[in-house]
Amino acid sequence: MDHLQTPIFTAMKAYHAKKVFPFDVPGHKHGRGLPEFAAYFGNTMLELDVNSMKPLDFLGNPTSVIKESEALLADAFGADRGFLIVGGTSFAVQTMIMATVTTGDKIILPRNVHKSAINALILCGAEPVYMAPEIDNEMGVSHNITLESLKRAYEDHPESKAVFIINPTYYGAACDLKTITDYCHEKGMMVLVDEAHGSHFHFHEKFPMSGMDAGADMSSVSLHKTGGSLTQSSALLVKTDRIDAQYVRKVINTMQTTSPSYLLMASIDVARKMLATEGHKILSHIIEIADYARAEINKIPGCYAIGYEAEEQPGIYKFDPTKLSVNTRNMGLNGMELYDILRDDYNIQMETGDVYNSLAILSVGDDYDSVNTLIDALKSISKRFHSARIDYKKIDLHYPEVVLTPREAFYADKEMVALEDTLGRISGESLMSYPPGIPVVSYGERINESVIEQIKLFKASHGVVSGMEDPEANFIKVIKG
């Protein structure tokens, strides 16, 4: 296919050139009704913030330019079908799960899934079977799962219909996706891949294998995270050997807006063109920058950035070098403190911070100047801070027992209980450190000592805990009785 084509973007430009008089929504009417906003962001953007119409096609039932764009999207990523998603990859994840399992079905997931997967289980009623990811005590994070952990989950629950895989994790750890996919298909299970942080994988051989290249049945890719499109724009990719693409469209249409942003869809169109036609060259440059940055950071006293040397250890079959996590525990700074210092003192915004690490994500928009700014800031911080190594109390990450399905717990009667008194109670909400949005305890799980200690640690290390009704997490909502 001709990937120089951008059907949606081209149609929008043609519409704009006609200077149409709008008597449809949105109500700002090409920005005239929102002059302050238009003056700051530019008239053209507001003039292209338009509603569905015949010349621009309809996302719920595309027949022209959106249909063409989705065909190009599928071809670019090696899929049979592609769907434009304007509700973020969270929505794409929910679609994959809801198109695959329902009430009474079981789905195998790693315990460090994003909250969107848990929310999908609330919506569809399926029962989660969790795999324990490999733990890195030095970094203080979870990496990926192994084939062995999958086999254990399957042997305990051979009736499971699907397996949900993260490719890669937030910190760049990828599993042996091809071997795992082949095993799942051999056992009659469908493979769903959360590639929120792997939209670039398919376009360069030095990255871990993409879901579509591994033969997965569906994958969701955050083009806005690493592919260059606008925030909230995403894509759902499908192989049709085991999946009915028309049914997937129906699932999408039950939840996705009927007023999609053409600015978002056009940005997917243009990002796909860039990746398909120039992706290998651009990503080769980004890999060079990432390797350079990692090497320079590892020369700085008190800093460590994990890299290729971690490959083949449990939970890291392959490593994505664009995930640049900076560990400063030997400097006496935790990750959230580093995150705050970089933002407040050096005007540098990192992706997130945790108990030991602060994460930078490199993508198609980075260059040597940007990473040198970060490197120089870290050198300065290293000279400022010389405290003793941080060693928080080691927490036994004993994952909580699933007592109720997320759907059952979501709709059950609940009460607020002080955090210290929740031991043994069943959680009626989902608590997580955000970003990345991985639950410490989720709906329907029995709260154990590990959960309570993790929540206390997040608070002590100035992390952001979210998802609960009490913003301070002093009280937790649990199931009554």
Side-chain angles (χ1 to χ4, degrees):
M1 300 184 73
D2 182 3
H3 283 285
L4 291 173
Q5 300 299 312
T6 53
I8 299 173
F9 185 47
T10 300
M12 288 176 68
K13 290 188 288 184
Y15 169 86
H16 185 252
K18 289 183 177 181
K19 301 188 181 301
V20 172
F21 291 96
F23 286 95
D24 59 350
V25 296
H28 62 67
K29 302 300 174 88
H30 290 184
R32 294 192 297 273
L34 201 63
E36 181 181 357
F37 200 79
Y40 187 82
F41 287 102
N43 290 328
T44 300
M45 188 191 81
L46 274 294
E47 289 164 1
L48 290 175
D49 180 37
V50 294
N51 192 35
S52 298
M53 62 185 75
K54 280 189 176 181
L56 298 181
D57 208 355
F58 300 86
L59 183 58
N61 182 33
T63 59
S64 60
V65 294
I66 294 178
K67 183 178 181 180
E68 294 169 18
S69 180
E70 290 188 333
L72 286 162
L73 178 73
D75 184 71
F77 281 88
D80 296 327
R81 290 289 298 273
F83 298 93
L84 301 179
I85 302 296
V86 295
T89 304
S90 292
F91 177 76
V93 165
Q94 291 169 354
T95 298
M96 291 196 301
I97 292 174
M98 292 181 67
T100 309
V101 291
T102 187
T103 303
D105 292 336
K106 291 184 178 180
I107 178 171
I108 300 173
L109 313 93
R111 184 53 186 76
N112 56 333
V113 291
H114 187 262
K115 66 176 184 176
S116 58
I118 306 300
N119 291 340
L121 299 181
I122 292 171
L123 293 170
C124 73
E127 179 181 343
V129 174
Y130 289 119
M131 301 175 280
E134 299 296 322
I135 305 299
D136 186 328
N137 289 318
E138 182 64 22
M139 289 185 66
V141 301
S142 298
H143 289 313
N144 221 306
I145 56 98
T146 62
L147 178 62
E148 289 68 30
S149 60
L150 170 59
K151 286 181 176 179
R152 287 193 296 270
Y154 174 76
E155 288 164 3
D156 290 340
H157 302 273
E159 69 276 25
S160 299
K161 288 188 64 176
V163 174
F164 185 92
I165 302 294
I166 305 168
N167 190 54
T169 65
Y170 209 48
Y171 294 91
C175 62
D176 186 357
L177 189 58
K178 181 67 170 66
T179 300
I180 285 173
T181 298
D182 290 346
Y183 174 83
C184 292
H185 287 163
E186 177 188 323
K187 300 299 182 182
M189 297 184 291
M190 286 177 281
V191 180
L192 318 176
V193 183
D194 176 358
E195 289 186 300
H197 287 272
S199 65
H200 52 296
F201 282 6
H202 177 73
F203 300 95
H204 203 290
E205 68 280 357
K206 287 190 177 181
F207 290 119
M209 182 177 288
S210 73
M212 290 295 99
D213 290 336
D217 298 290
M218 286 192 278
S219 70
S220 52
V221 292
S222 283
L223 275 161
H224 74 91
K225 284 186 170 68
T226 59
S229 65
L230 295 181
T231 294
Q232 199 174 310
S233 60
S234 183
L236 177 58
L237 308 171
V238 178
K239 293 279 192 180
T240 56
D241 293 346
R242 299 170 184 82
I243 300 292
D244 180 353
Q246 290 306 110
Y247 181 68
V248 173
R249 173 77 75 188
K250 288 181 180 179
V251 174
I252 290 172
N253 286 346
T254 63
M255 299 182 290
Q256 184 157 251
T257 178
T258 54
S259 302
S261 167
Y262 278 84
L263 295 170
L264 297 183
M265 291 190 289
S267 76
I268 296 174
D269 219 12
V270 177
R272 180 268 313 152
K273 170 189 172 182
M274 178 182 67
L275 290 170
T277 60
E278 304 176 76
H280 193 275
K281 177 183 176 181
I282 293 170
L283 292 169
S284 292
H285 183 57
I286 297 304
I287 291 170
E288 289 178 5
I289 292 171
D291 290 346
Y292 161 77
R294 189 167 280 103
E296 291 301 307
I297 289 170
N298 284 332
K299 296 175 185 176
I300 300 172
C303 290
Y304 170 65
I306 190 172
Y308 301 109
E309 73 282 353
E311 289 185 345
E312 301 296 342
Q313 76 177 47
I316 310 181
Y317 178 75
K318 291 287 287 183
F319 179 74
D320 176 10
T322 68
K323 307 302 183 289
L324 188 62
S325 60
V326 183
N327 186 304
T328 49
R329 65 185 301 187
N330 288 326
M331 196 187 294
L333 291 176
N334 69 42
M336 187 53 69
E337 289 171 330
L338 177 64
Y339 174 96
D340 289 340
I341 291 168
L342 284 168
R343 183 193 63 244
D344 296 342
D345 296 353
Y346 297 89
N347 208 30
I348 293 172
Q349 181 60 56
M350 300 290 273
E351 170 67 11
T352 190
D354 60 37
V355 291
Y356 294 133
N357 315 278
S358 191
L359 177 66
I361 292 180
L362 305 184
S363 68
V364 295
D366 280 297
D367 55 27
Y368 277 101
D369 288 341
S370 63
V371 297
N372 276 325
T373 300
L374 174 60
I375 292 165
D376 290 343
L378 291 171
K379 288 177 179 178
S380 172
I381 292 169
S382 175
K383 293 176 182 177
R384 292 170 55 191
F385 294 91
H386 301 284
S387 300
R389 171 186 167 94
I390 293 176
D391 281 300
Y392 289 112
K393 176 185 175 183
K394 185 177 178 181
I395 296 173
D396 178 15
L397 289 179
H398 180 65
Y399 292 106
E401 170 195 9
V402 177
V403 181
L404 301 174
T405 68
R407 184 182 182 89
E408 290 169 336
F410 184 84
Y411 288 108
D413 291 335
K414 307 175 187 71
E415 60 184 344
M416 294 292 279
V417 175
L419 175 63
E420 291 78 8
D421 298 327
T422 59
L423 183 64
R425 300 296 296 271
I426 301 170
S427 180
E429 53 187 358
S430 189
L431 283 74
M432 65 209 71
S433 176
Y434 192 85
I438 296 168
V440 176
V441 65
S442 191
Y443 293 97
E445 294 182 333
R446 192 181 302 281
I447 297 171
N448 58 26
E449 290 183 5
S450 176
V451 167
I452 296 172
E453 291 303 313
Q454 285 182 74
I455 294 171
K456 290 179 178 179
L457 174 58
F458 283 137
K459 295 170 69 174
S461 61
H462 311 289
V464 178
V465 186
S466 67
M468 58 283 167
E469 290 191 15
D470 174 14
E472 302 299 324
N474 295 320
F475 292 85
I476 307 299
K477 184 155 271 191
V478 299
I479 308 301
K480 279 187 177 180

